[in-house]
């Protein structure tokens, strides 16, 4: 097979560092695992990590995400009659991982999320009775993923039974977990998705910058040296991430738990893969336009700033978005999403936690990737030869409809009416440089029911 | 010529793994080691200078296979507007896949009698007036010229890295397309070499 210049260079560079390929470079670039707090409490939620470091960047508090990420998607490989044993066996493996690794970036975060095909095929009666309902939408919290107005027509809506999200600063922790999960023989893996995040906050060259350059991604040399993500802006501002259990089913009152505690401490997860045109972002958008696109128009930010404040006092209302649109013809990215993703009033959770107006609801866990679009897939057309810049977008919301509202707002579909844009218009936030390839929704049960949920009911 | 370029790219890829890209090293080192290149096609540039009645810059070096011959096979735009602003564009394009494919595209411009950055109209549904050259960055000095790098540019300079400077009440630009086989950093190295090779041609 003939290789192109990029294939040749990338292939050899990856080969030079070992069979694990380009992702092994993450360890080399990051110098291995950073110092983190060791111990961590095992929370009833699967989707929350303890021991996450907080740093200040450009005067803003930022959460430092785990360095390494991997997602396995799979089909259940056993019959309904074997579910009871399967549940015990998987839980034994997961409990073993809990015993061996603290649920923190220094250890290992394991989140097991189940798709609608699992509930429909294996536990339909129990699901009808116990799957939580979204009070606002009048639907189950788990709804099928859809193509949004700015999505390409060929965005694949996936039908996986289950997804395992593995997060750690140590790649060998993730590899160990993946091996142990696969070793149960309970699943037929449908895809493997890998990526990385973080670096750069202490002044060193960031991982996305280094990885993009190593892979010779078009536009890699335009990424700022310390950028947290390929597109140059920090996205893990503490105030921009849903705090604690805010995305839990039970916290905000969006969800009817059907008179049962079965799914208390659970949440909803959306998973998608998005290609990013890094070169177009830096060669067609000047800094001010990048700020206006990533955040909101008319935002005064010092040239070269990477971390922009996103606290409750910086939140845009729908009126703000419409006013900005009338003055500039643009809506940005963060601003329209904030019209649906932030609390409109103070809220007291059922455990007494006070969430102030403007607090973010979604708990994001997205990470950059060089998968094109996946590191491995059972479908040959889902594994490109060349690396490609992108993001595996992972977000936890109280319901599928809550995610849907946020994603529609990103396209200008605001609660009070739609601002019309051409599909993927440049004035519509990031959309002109993003291209979504895959989407699926999942339920993340609480830790106690993470293994084949409802199979014991 | 296509074969030469393709071979050069493969060699460059090999060298990059062992001891750095030979092509890039050559580009950085050449001005100091060799006599300054001179305009190889003076007649066409002299004619241009006479027409616009201000000095113009003729490149003494362009990436192979481009030459600076106005009216030559690679000169796809030779334009002088009513206000005497001019654009000379040189392009090589090969649509073959792999190492054989790619594009080299260099633009030189002059805006006689004006030093302000001109305004361009963007396309698309949100079409608006913007500065034609935006996102200024670092400056480079060579050949008596101090030029600033602009990263976001419009019209014929879209998707180009661009150097901009002023002399004698005239705004000048030199830009090159960021496209395979070149990365942005590689284009900047080429621009620096081209800047160092410019020869000022005065009106007769």
């Amino acid at each position: 097979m003939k290789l192109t210049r990029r294939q040749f260079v990338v292939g050899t560079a990856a080969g030079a560092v070992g069979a694990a390929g380009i992702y092994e470079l993450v360890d080399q670039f990051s110098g291995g695992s950073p110092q983190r707090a060791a111990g961590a409490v095992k929370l009833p939620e699967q989707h929350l990590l303890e021991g996450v470091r907080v740093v200040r960047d450009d005067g803003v508090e930022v959460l430092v995400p785990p360095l390494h990420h991997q997602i396995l998607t799979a089909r259940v490989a056993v019959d309904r009659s074997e579910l009871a044993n399967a549940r015990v066996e998987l839980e034994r493996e997961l409990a073993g991982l809990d015993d061996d690794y603290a649920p923190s970036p220094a250890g290992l975060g394991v989140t097991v999320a189940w798709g609608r095909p699992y509930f429909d095929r294996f536990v339909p009666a129990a699901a009808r009775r116990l799957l939580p309902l979204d009070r606002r939408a009048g639907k189950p919290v788990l709804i099928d993923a859809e193509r949004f107005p700015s999505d390409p027509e060929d965005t694949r809506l996936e039908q996986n039974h289950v997804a395992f999200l593995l997060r750690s600063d140590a790649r060998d922790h993730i590899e160990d977990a993946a091996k142990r999960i696969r070793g149960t023989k309970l699943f037929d893996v449908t895809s493997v998705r890998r990526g990385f995040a973080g670096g750069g906050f202490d002044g060193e060259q960031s991982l996305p910058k280094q990885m993009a350059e190593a892979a010779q991604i078009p536009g890699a040399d335009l990424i700022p040296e310390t950028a947290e993500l390929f597109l140059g802006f920090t996205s893990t501002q503490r105030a921009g991430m849903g705090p604690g259990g805010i995305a839990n089913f039970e916290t905000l009152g969006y969800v009817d738990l059907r008179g049962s505690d079965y799914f208390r401490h659970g949440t909803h997860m959306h998973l998608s893969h998005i290609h990013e045109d890094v070169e177009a972002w830096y060669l067609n958008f000047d800094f001010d336009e990048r700020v206006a696109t990533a955040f909101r128009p008319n935002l005064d930010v010092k040239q070269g700033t990477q971390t922009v404040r996103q606290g409750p006092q910086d939140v845009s209302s729908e009126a703000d978005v419409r006013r900005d649109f009338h003055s500039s013809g643009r809506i940005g990215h963060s601003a329209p999403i904030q019209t649906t993703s932030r609390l409109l009033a103070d809220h007291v959770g059922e455990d007494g936690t006070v969430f102030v107006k403007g607090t973010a609801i979604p708990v994001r866990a997205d990470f950059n990737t060089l998968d094109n679009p996946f590191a491995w897939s059972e479908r040959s057309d889902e594994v490109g030869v060349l690396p490609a810049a992108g993001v595996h977008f992972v977000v936890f919301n109280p319901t599928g409809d809550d995610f849907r509202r946020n994603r529609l707002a990103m396209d200008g579909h605001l609660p009070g009416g739609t601002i019309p844009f051409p599909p993927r218009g440049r004035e519509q936030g990031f959309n002109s440089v993003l291209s979504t390839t895959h989407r699926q929704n999942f339920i993340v049960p609480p830790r106690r029911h993470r293994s084949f949920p409802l199979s014991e009911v | 010529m296509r074969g030469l370029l393709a071979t050069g790219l493969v060699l460059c890829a090999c060298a990059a793994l062992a001891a750095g890209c030979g092509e890039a090293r050559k580009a950085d080192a050449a001005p100091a080691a060799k006599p300054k290149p001179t305009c190889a096609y003076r007649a066409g540039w002299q004619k241009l200078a006479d027409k616009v009645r201000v000095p113009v810059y003729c490149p003494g070096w362009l990436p192979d296979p481009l030459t600076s011959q106005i009216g030559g096979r690679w000169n796809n735009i030779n334009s002088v507007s009513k206000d005497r602003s001019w654009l000379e564009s040189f392009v090589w394009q090969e649509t073959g896949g792999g190492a054989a494919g790619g594009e080299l595209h260099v633009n030189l411009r002059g805006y006689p009698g004006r030093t302000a950055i001109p305004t361009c109209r963007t396309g698309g549904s949100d079409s608006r007036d913007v500065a034609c050259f935006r996102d200024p960055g670092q400056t480079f000095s060579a050949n008596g010229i101090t030029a600033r790098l602009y990263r976001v540019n419009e019209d014929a300079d879209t998707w180009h890295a661009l150097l901009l400077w002023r002399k004698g009440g005239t705004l000048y630009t030199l830009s090159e397309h960021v496209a395979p086989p070149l990365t942005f950093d590689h284009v900047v190295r080429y621009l620096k070499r081209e800047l160092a090779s410019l020869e000022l041609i005065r009106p007769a």
Side-chain angles (χ1 to χ4, degrees), chain B residues 1 18 30 46 63 71 81-82 90 92 99 106 119 121 137 167 172 178 192 199 203:
Chain B
M1 193 60 73
Q46 185 65 60
S81 301
K82 283 180 183 171
F90 302 90
W92 168 89
V106 177
T119 299
R121 188 78 187 162
K167 182 178 173 66
Y172 294 95
V178 180
K192 288 161 72 176
E199 183 176 347

Side-chain angles (χ1 to χ4, degrees), chain A residues 221 284 286-287 330 427, chain B residues 125 128 134-135 159 183 185:
Chain A
D221 34 16
N284 293 338
D286 60 41
F287 179 78
R330 298 168 169 276
E427 61 276 46
Chain B
S125 57
R128 64 200 188 284
R134 306 194 301 285
D135 241 13
W159 221 287
T183 64
D185 285 351

